[in-house]
Amino acid sequence: MDEAAVGAEAPRILVVGPSWVGDMVMAQSLFITLKRRHPGAKIGVLAPGWSLPILERMPEVDEAIALDVKHGEFGWKTRREVARSLKGRFDRAIVLPRSLKSALLPFLAGIPRRTGFTGEQRYVLLNDRRRLDKGVLDQTVKRFVALGLDVEQATGRSFEIPHPRLRVDRGRQTELRAELSLGERPAIGMMPGAEYGPAKQWPLEYFRELAETLIGKGYAVWVLGGPKDTEAGDVIADGLESAHNLCGKTRLADAVDLLAACEQVVTNDSGLMHVAAAVGTRIQALYGSSSPAYTPPLTDNADIHYLALSCSPCFERTCPLGHRNCLKQMLPGRIEQAIQG
């Protein structure tokens, strides 16, 4: 289908967004690309309700539409109701997830052009199907951006990947410092969580040792994460003056502002790593079972720590060899030197 055939003047584009924090941040690279290619375009993003605070920080997103279906649930009634509300409102849909159910809603909404990668028997649901060449599109963000390009551009060896950039609320930053009694010391953020699994998590005792060293050098340590990370935050921060376990105590929008207030962050390959990249904070990124070549922080302000052992990356949730040497052999002194460097 020709690019000019549908809504070329100011197309109305619905993007079916991903279900992970980091992927949603990386999706902003697509939104930026669409705005540059189609001045005046209106972009709506269909996404889980939890992600709306992130989408609100993206100036390219004109409308965020919540699709609240529980993980693993098909949610036929909810999808049908949301599809009915979208009828006639969009000229084109871009489906980022590669699942059957993610392509269903744009089809039910009657959106004329529906773009996505071939897979999961989506032949009827998508009418602008793209073949995924993993050799060319070797990063998640490249795959997202490619779906916003013409086929010829998307299959080329090189195209621009704009970096995500989330808006920061400086007033809210100041309020959070007071509400959470964070003091005035320069802060190093620590993100010990990794939703995908423990094979991506640097040992908590290493985070603790590094926190002690940094506090001794005049820093504060802010541990950030969700409610599931509260116990991990306690291991790092308990009994340490100027260490604050904020896991589960802040909203996602607050995390954006707090990460922007940090001088640097030390983080596993996680969603909050991508948030930190998108607010411009310097990153010490720790990779073990995953690969910095596949999901790098999209910033020029990062140190990548990756041992590249023969067994990594394995991309497993838990270490198949039971030792996690890819992270255990990455000692705190190395990270402390990089922070001071």
Side-chain angles (χ1 to χ4, degrees), residues 70-97:
K70 293 180 181 178
H71 186 69
E73 182 180 272
F74 194 83
W76 169 255
K77 181 180 178 181
T78 301
R79 293 178 193 277
R80 188 174 55 190
E81 289 174 352
V82 174
R84 189 180 297 120
S85 73
L86 298 179
K87 280 187 177 292
R89 296 185 52 211
F90 293 95
D91 310 303
R92 178 183 179 188
I94 297 175
V95 183
L96 298 186

Side-chain angles (χ1 to χ4, degrees), residues 117 135-147 149 154 157 159 161 293:
F117 290 115
V136 173
L137 303 178
D138 56 352
Q139 295 179 341
T140 298
V141 68
K142 288 182 183 178
R143 297 173 188 180
F144 290 171
V145 171
L147 290 176
L149 303 175
R157 282 284 165 185
F159 50 82
I161 305 291

Side-chain angles (χ1 to χ4, degrees), residues 95-115:
V95 183
L96 298 186
R98 296 178 63 200
S99 64
L100 178 89
K101 59 187 177 184
S102 63
L104 181 63
L105 198 145
F107 174 79
L108 293 174
I111 297 173
R113 179 179 177 185
R114 304 179 299 279
T115 302

